[in-house]
Amino acid sequence: RINRPHRSWPKVRQVWQKWYDRVVPARTLYLQELCLLDALSLSRVTISEDPFLIPAALCFWNPIFNFFQFRCGMMATTVLDICHLLGLSPIGIPFGPDYPDLAVPCSLHSHNSSYSDFTRAENKREGPVTDREFFSFLLYWLCKFLFCTSSQRIMPEFAPLAKAFVLQKKVALAPHVLGHVYRVCSLFCEKPLDANQGGPFWILQFWLFAYFTELQSKCLKFSETN
């Protein structure tokens, strides 16, 4: 188990708040059509982590069938849960490792850079929001707030997904996110969970809170005492 928060757990910074306030109003209709607006809005909310809850829940994870074997029975996060909690689309073009790197004018030299370096290079802060800046904004959000990469850097593997959104392609993001949730759960069975591991643990906690509402008050008490 771990007794300290994950390093990759999404944390709201002022620089992101300002970038969000610049980009989202300019591209609200795009984001609504792509079913991204609700999930993006969560990046402005501070979600407190209970560092004991996730390790405790993962002790009941079955990596073969991808479900929790709780006392109440078998339970698992579903695509419908992801849609309900995050507002992501369950339908559209499937996204995977073989998804083409679309030919759009969004080539960046700052790929695989730290989050701070990336925002300094790509957040224009004034003038119209171009497709390139919109792409950079979405790529940053995917890496830092949605998938929570362990390297805490911009990962090129998510660039094709960000480009697809710039081109207004409807991607089935909900099943893809669910796959990442299952992946972090199963990794726990292969090696001990530690604070350096990345992944969308916050979504798993979100799901646990949705079904076990009594856990929310316990997490709130933990946050107040720490």
Side-chain angles (χ1 to χ4, degrees):
R1 69 177 187 175
I2 61 172
N3 57 8
R4 57 194 176 94
H6 285 88
R7 292 175 62 247
S8 61
W9 190 274
K11 300 176 181 64
V12 183
R13 306 294 188 192
Q14 188 177 20
V15 63
W16 170 252
Q17 297 272 22
K18 292 181 178 179
W19 203 8
Y20 182 102
D21 291 339
R22 166 178 163 75
V23 174
V24 171
R27 299 294 178 114
T28 298
L29 293 179
Y30 289 87
L31 295 169
Q32 286 178 334
E33 292 175 0
L34 295 169
C35 298
L36 298 179
L37 193 58
D38 289 343
L40 265 166
S41 66
L42 291 173
S43 68
R44 302 196 66 185
V45 179
T46 299
I47 302 174
S48 299
E49 179 186 3
D50 182 342
F52 299 102
L53 174 60
I54 293 174
L58 290 176
C59 290
F60 299 91
W61 179 253
N62 185 315
I64 299 176
F65 297 104
N66 289 333
F67 64 69
F68 293 97
Q69 184 64 61
F70 293 137
R71 181 178 297 179
C72 60
M74 295 178 292
M75 293 184 66
T77 312
T78 66
V79 171
L80 186 59
D81 289 328
I82 298 297
C83 297
H84 177 72
L85 294 172
L86 306 183
L88 300 177
S89 175
I91 59 175
I93 305 170
F95 182 81
D98 58 345
Y99 195 87
D101 191 359
L102 302 172
V104 294
C106 296
S107 175
L108 300 178
H109 300 295
S110 46
H111 275 181
N112 205 30
S113 62
S114 67
Y115 290 143
S116 57
D117 290 343
F118 188 81
T119 52
R120 279 195 293 269
E122 304 301 333
N123 180 359
K124 301 308 178 186
R125 297 178 176 81
E126 59 184 18
V129 176
T130 63
D131 283 348
R132 170 169 172 153
E133 185 177 2
F134 187 43
F135 160 75
S136 302
F137 173 84
L138 291 173
L139 181 57
Y140 182 93
W141 169 69
L142 290 169
C143 294
K144 182 176 176 61
F145 291 101
L146 189 61
F147 296 107
C148 306
T149 61
S150 59
S151 64
Q152 296 187 298
R153 305 177 73 84
I154 296 299
M155 301 301 292
E157 67 182 275
F158 296 111
L161 182 56
K163 290 181 181 180
F165 291 140
V166 171
L167 294 175
Q168 291 184 272
K169 292 185 178 293
K170 193 70 171 290
V171 176
L173 189 55
H176 186 65
V177 169
L178 179 61
H180 278 258
V181 174
Y182 285 169
R183 179 174 178 270
V184 297
C185 290
S186 295
L187 283 176
F188 172 75
C189 300
E190 299 176 7
K191 59 182 180 180
L193 189 66
D194 65 66
N196 294 319
Q197 289 180 5
F201 287 104
W202 70 274
I203 298 176
L204 178 60
Q205 180 175 285
F206 228 43
W207 177 79
L208 289 166
F209 282 169
Y211 281 92
F212 303 98
T213 54
E214 67 276 10
L215 296 175
Q216 299 184 37
S217 58
K218 294 180 181 179
C219 182
L220 180 60
K221 291 178 182 178
F222 175 84
S223 300
E224 291 175 347
T225 57
N226 288 270

